[in-house]
Amino acid sequence: DIPTVMMGQVPNSNLYSVDIDNFASAEMAVKHLVSLGHWQIACIVNAPAPYSSATQRFEGYKSTLERAGIPYNENLVRFADFDAQSGFQQMQSLLNSKQKITAAFVASDNVAMGAMAAIREAGLSIPEDISLVGFDDVPLAAFATPELTTVRVPAREIAIYSCHLLVRLIRGDIPENRTVTLETEFIPRGSTREIGRRVY
């Protein structure tokens, strides 16, 4: 009976929550890469598969490939663990696999920072050799080299909406809708480039 609001969601939970549409936001990111002519698009998921945001972002990646007529290749997918070190390791794994990639969707900016370091260590350039799209738009994304193309998550607004919703619950003002979904925004920067225009 304790009023509770989650920032994010847990599968099969009836708790009130404030979140984004991770699936649609991932689609937006991968669609950008497809529109630039990329077909060999790797994916480094932001977290292990049991996390709901990771699953939704991964499914958004797969859905976009399918709608673009690009065969899904499980060898181009890695699962990170929230931080830059895991992004570095998973990008190294992709590069060492000798799988041909021209772009990567990295479903977390923190993870993407590590992935960028691994690409540079391998003697490759961003976006000349590999285009990169992140997710979150953390403050450092705009100061990366090159600046990171990403999906902006309205973190401050999520916190504000969550607090407002919690106050309503405490006061006994029970909303009918248990989930508030806020909009994300695609932020194009310097880490992606066109290799052949494709109508999507």
Side-chain angles (χ1 to χ4, degrees):
D1 296 326
I2 299 174
T4 303
V5 175
M6 295 181 61
M7 290 184 284
Q9 295 183 57
V10 173
N12 305 314
S13 170
N14 64 351
L15 293 174
Y16 288 87
S17 66
V18 179
D19 202 1
I20 61 168
D21 188 334
N22 285 284
F23 180 91
S25 298
E27 284 192 318
M28 182 165 52
V30 181
K31 181 178 178 180
H32 172 71
L33 293 172
V34 173
S35 73
L36 295 177
H38 295 279
W39 280 64
Q40 294 150 316
I41 304 171
C43 178
I44 301 179
V45 188
N46 55 308
Y51 288 87
S52 59
S53 67
T55 300
Q56 293 159 7
R57 294 176 193 184
F58 173 54
E59 291 299 328
Y61 160 77
K62 288 176 62 178
S63 170
T64 307
L65 296 186
E66 180 181 351
R67 289 193 289 120
I70 301 173
Y72 168 68
N73 182 355
E74 65 180 7
N75 296 317
L76 297 183
V77 177
R78 299 291 188 276
F79 288 84
D81 195 17
F82 297 106
D83 59 15
Q85 180 63 32
S86 66
F88 182 86
Q89 293 168 343
Q90 297 308 325
M91 180 55 77
Q92 270 194 329
S93 172
L94 281 167
L95 296 175
N96 291 337
S97 74
K98 305 304 181 183
Q99 294 284 327
K100 173 65 176 176
I101 62 172
T102 63
F105 166 53
V106 185
S108 157
D109 288 351
N110 287 334
V111 175
M113 297 298 170
M116 295 175 85
I119 292 169
R120 287 193 294 268
E121 186 176 276
L124 301 173
S125 298
I126 305 166
E128 288 77 17
D129 297 306
I130 299 177
S131 288
L132 210 64
V133 176
F135 199 112
D136 291 327
D137 195 30
V138 299
L140 283 177
F143 297 95
T145 304
E147 296 179 356
L148 182 62
T149 297
T150 189
V151 175
R152 177 173 293 160
V153 174
R156 184 173 184 273
E157 288 77 10
I158 289 174
I160 291 171
Y161 270 85
S162 297
C163 289
H164 285 318
L165 182 53
L166 184 59
V167 169
R168 288 184 63 183
L169 294 176
I170 292 170
R171 291 174 174 171
D173 177 13
I174 308 300
E176 184 176 333
N177 190 354
R178 289 183 171 269
T179 302
V180 175
T181 303
L182 301 184
E183 295 290 326
T184 56
E185 180 185 0
F186 186 73
I187 308 296
R189 294 194 179 109
S191 64
T192 56
R193 76 176 183 99
E194 182 179 335
I195 63 171
R197 178 61 60 181
R198 176 177 169 84
V199 177
Y200 187 83

